[in-house]
Amino acid sequence: MKFYARERELEILETQYKQVKDTSIMTVITGRKRIGKTSLSKLYSEGKKTLYLFVSKKDEVLLCEEFIQAIKEKFNVSIYGEVRRFKDVFKIIMDIGQKEKIVVIIDEFQEFLQINQSVYSDVQNLWDQNKDKTNIHLIFIGSIYSLMNKIFKNSKEPLFGRADRVMHLKPFSPHVIKEILEDEKRYSNENLFINYLLTGGVPRYQEILITNKKFTKEEILGFYFEVDSPFIEEGRTILIEEFGKEYGTYFSILELLSEGRTSRSEIESILEKDIGGYLEKLVTDYNLVGKIKPIGAKPTGRIQKYFISDNFLKFWFRYVYKYRTAIENKNYEYIRNKLKETLKSYSGPILEKLYQEIYRNSGKYMEIGNYWEKGNQNEIDVVCIDEINKRMKIAEVKLNKDKIKIIELKEKAQNLIKKYKEYNKDYIGLSLEDIGDVLKNESL
């Protein structure tokens, strides 16, 4: 698959490379697994003198042996004696950076938390001492969000404040998914939607589907739920390391969220335990759960809902983790029957999210979200606020266009529009068949 949609990030990296003259620059690239962090860094470094080091789960002595070999192969340097600590490897790199301009990529940097935590203070000391007399673009890559935040954004950690730029890679937007499908000559509104629903735009999942020529709902779901599918263990693979020993509680919360249990009180009543701390970590530390308030609500208002922000993981918890016994027994027919029963109702909120993301990416609106009142009364699927032009877009979203009722939408919006009396209001219906037109009209 060709490289898509990272022009802005490449431009930032190239700008930083130009700044590596009389000083070194440090960049941190984070994002969920499979998002393309390593691919981005390698594309950027093409044609540049580059050292790439991957921090695998092994003893520091063995890592150093591997790294020294890579340095010898890349640079014409003599290294005497046995190097057993990463701080000595990093010192050699800084010495090379005094003689020539280089790019150094250190992948899965968070793994040193398990190998030798003192590496971070060692790197900080050597960086502070040598930054202004070396010419290095130092790139740290990490795929465990909570740990990379701890290393670079916790004020108590040695490398706090050292990064010149922290880049958080996000999944491809609906516009990019459309471009990918058009390049494969398989675009349709339905194909884009099932792709978005299942992958959330994660690049590696796009690559898997394209390689295996899976584009329609039947093709993708059939591929997803088959023996040895690359997706079945993916959720566990991504999250076990994030959550550690308490993964069971986190997984239970995420399973309930995937079923549409959106309030803390509802989840606590089912699990019979206080989950406030877990929810807060899912929102702030792990960046896996979002929380929303109704459009127009006061910031201090108590009405709010929680949701899984990653489409792939939401689907995985709803149909893989929830039915893990059937999965382990290879009873995929049972899963397929569950999909027939529930996929339509599951898809509705994802279609709402798709349209909200399209409008958000357009840059035309100050605020985008949902509206509802106490007790989930008068729910409105999409509300967009254009503060500059004093316009509101109020939309009902249905998979089937025939089920949209604008008169009822206007009735549900009565209390909402009282807060925006001076705004012009557009009441619209959005369905599966409108995706292409909205993508075209709401492009940047």
Side-chain angles (χ1 to χ4, degrees):
M1 188 176 84
K2 79 176 191 181
F3 202 84
Y4 285 91
R6 300 299 190 203
E7 294 85 1
R8 172 184 164 274
E9 289 84 355
L10 284 169
E11 184 179 339
I12 290 170
L13 292 171
E14 290 292 350
T15 298
Q16 289 191 301
Y17 185 72
K18 292 175 184 176
Q19 294 170 347
V20 179
K21 294 178 181 178
D22 301 318
T23 186
S24 290
I25 297 288
M26 183 190 295
T27 305
V28 175
I29 303 178
T30 68
R32 71 160 350 259
K33 290 181 185 291
R34 323 300 191 221
I35 205 71
K37 303 178 295 297
T38 302
S39 298
L40 171 67
S41 65
K42 288 187 172 181
L43 180 64
Y44 151 71
S45 65
E46 285 181 1
K48 303 177 179 68
K49 196 69 171 288
T50 302
L51 176 67
Y52 175 82
L53 304 176
F54 182 86
V55 185
S56 53
K57 294 179 175 68
K58 61 170 91 172
D59 189 87
E60 187 176 4
V61 173
L62 298 178
L63 273 180
C64 291
E65 183 180 291
E66 179 185 327
F67 294 166
I68 290 298
Q69 184 60 35
I71 291 170
K72 286 179 177 179
E73 291 174 1
K74 181 65 65 173
F75 306 102
N76 184 24
V77 294
S78 299
I79 300 173
Y80 302 103
E82 187 180 16
V83 177
R84 300 177 61 84
R85 293 289 175 259
F86 181 77
K87 68 177 180 181
D88 298 317
V89 174
F90 197 70
K91 186 177 186 307
I92 292 169
I93 293 171
M94 299 305 286
D95 290 342
I96 294 170
Q98 291 187 33
K99 302 178 181 70
E100 56 183 315
K101 184 177 181 178
I102 59 174
V103 175
V104 178
I105 302 168
I106 303 180
D107 206 342
E108 299 297 356
F109 186 57
Q110 80 281 341
E111 291 299 332
F112 278 119
L113 282 167
Q114 301 299 322
I115 298 167
N116 178 6
Q117 291 192 32
S118 67
V119 161
Y120 301 117
S121 56
D122 293 334
V123 167
Q124 177 243 309
N125 289 331
L126 288 166
W127 183 255
D128 289 349
Q129 292 171 22
N130 296 281
K131 177 179 183 290
D132 294 331
K133 52 186 179 183
T134 53
N135 297 283
I136 301 172
H137 189 186
L138 178 62
I139 300 175
F140 291 124
I141 299 174
S143 56
I144 299 181
Y145 183 85
S146 58
L147 298 186
M148 291 299 283
N149 258 12
K150 170 182 168 66
I151 294 166
F152 291 100
K153 293 188 176 182
N154 187 324
S155 60
K156 296 179 181 178
E157 296 298 318
L159 288 171
F160 173 76
R162 296 310 191 278
D164 296 281
R165 190 95 184 207
V166 177
M167 298 171 61
H168 183 72
L169 294 194
K170 296 181 179 180
F172 290 153
S173 70
H175 284 90
V176 177
I177 298 174
K178 180 174 185 286
E179 181 185 351
I180 292 170
L181 292 174
E182 286 177 338
D183 286 349
E184 296 295 318
K185 297 180 171 52
R186 295 301 301 270
Y187 174 78
S188 71
N189 291 333
E190 293 80 5
N191 287 358
L192 183 146
F193 180 58
I194 192 64
N195 184 305
Y196 176 81
L197 181 147
L198 284 162
T199 74
V202 174
R204 175 57 181 155
Y205 306 149
Q206 301 296 322
E207 185 177 26
I208 290 172
L209 293 180
I210 289 171
T211 300
N212 290 278
K213 305 298 181 186
K214 307 299 180 186
F215 301 100
T216 67
K217 180 171 77 172
E218 292 74 20
E219 291 169 348
I220 293 175
L221 289 176
F223 178 69
Y224 194 112
F225 293 103
E226 68 178 17
V227 177
D228 299 324
S229 161
F231 296 127
I232 292 298
E233 290 298 319
E234 183 70 355
R236 189 181 301 276
T237 300
I238 290 172
L239 296 178
I240 285 288
E241 198 170 356
E242 279 274 18
F243 297 148
K245 295 178 181 178
E246 291 191 286
Y247 80 89
T249 299
Y250 286 113
F251 274 34
S252 296
I253 293 170
L254 291 168
E255 179 187 337
L256 291 172
L257 286 170
S258 76
E259 295 175 346
R261 319 274 189 169
T262 58
S263 73
R264 172 180 168 179
S265 60
E266 185 178 15
I267 295 172
E268 287 183 336
S269 68
I270 295 169
L271 297 182
E272 297 183 335
K273 66 186 298 184
D274 183 346
I275 63 163
Y278 293 99
L279 265 179
E280 190 58 32
K281 285 185 176 181
L282 284 168
V283 173
T284 58
D285 293 356
Y286 300 118
N287 198 37
L288 290 171
V289 169
K291 54 184 177 181
I292 54 171
K293 295 179 183 293
I295 287 284
K298 296 178 181 179
T300 55
R302 299 183 65 181
I303 299 177
Q304 64 182 12
K305 294 180 179 180
Y306 293 89
F307 64 96
I308 298 174
S309 53
D310 186 299
N311 283 8
F312 177 88
L313 290 174
K314 181 176 181 180
F315 184 86
W316 188 88
F317 276 101
R318 179 65 181 84
Y319 291 105
V320 177
Y321 188 71
K322 180 177 176 60
Y323 301 119
R324 54 196 178 278
T325 301
I327 295 287
E328 288 169 5
N329 291 328
K330 304 293 190 292
N331 188 359
Y332 293 113
E333 186 62 30
Y334 180 84
I335 306 296
R336 281 189 277 272
N337 288 333
K338 285 295 180 182
L339 283 164
K340 289 177 183 177
E341 292 174 13
T342 62
L343 187 59
K344 186 172 288 187
S345 60
Y346 176 87
S347 299
I350 305 296
L351 187 59
E352 295 172 23
K353 182 182 177 184
L354 171 66
Y355 277 115
Q356 289 182 17
E357 188 169 339
I358 293 171
Y359 288 126
R360 190 172 290 111
N361 291 339
S362 74
K364 298 176 182 178
Y365 307 97
M366 181 194 76
E367 192 176 0
I368 297 160
N370 308 78
Y371 175 80
W372 70 94
E373 295 165 11
K374 190 174 181 180
N376 289 326
Q377 297 297 306
N378 293 324
E379 291 184 277
I380 298 175
D381 302 325
V382 179
V383 180
C384 304
I385 308 294
D386 176 0
E387 189 181 48
I388 295 174
N389 298 304
K390 293 290 187 278
R391 296 192 69 87
M392 289 182 69
K393 196 182 293 291
I394 302 171
E396 180 172 352
V397 179
K398 297 287 185 185
L399 292 168
N400 186 342
K401 198 175 188 71
D402 294 337
K403 294 186 177 181
I404 294 172
K405 299 176 181 178
I406 298 299
I407 293 176
E408 291 184 7
L409 175 64
K410 290 181 178 180
E411 291 175 355
K412 290 192 291 186
Q414 288 303 307
N415 290 329
L416 170 66
I417 63 175
K418 289 176 183 177
K419 302 175 184 179
Y420 300 91
K421 292 180 180 178
E422 72 277 23
Y423 282 66
N424 292 315
K425 286 87 177 177
D426 297 325
Y427 296 92
I428 60 173
L430 299 170
S431 68
L432 202 58
E433 66 185 72
D434 299 306
I435 293 173
D437 290 337
V438 176
L439 279 168
K440 181 179 179 181
N441 295 333
E442 298 293 336
S443 60
L444 285 172

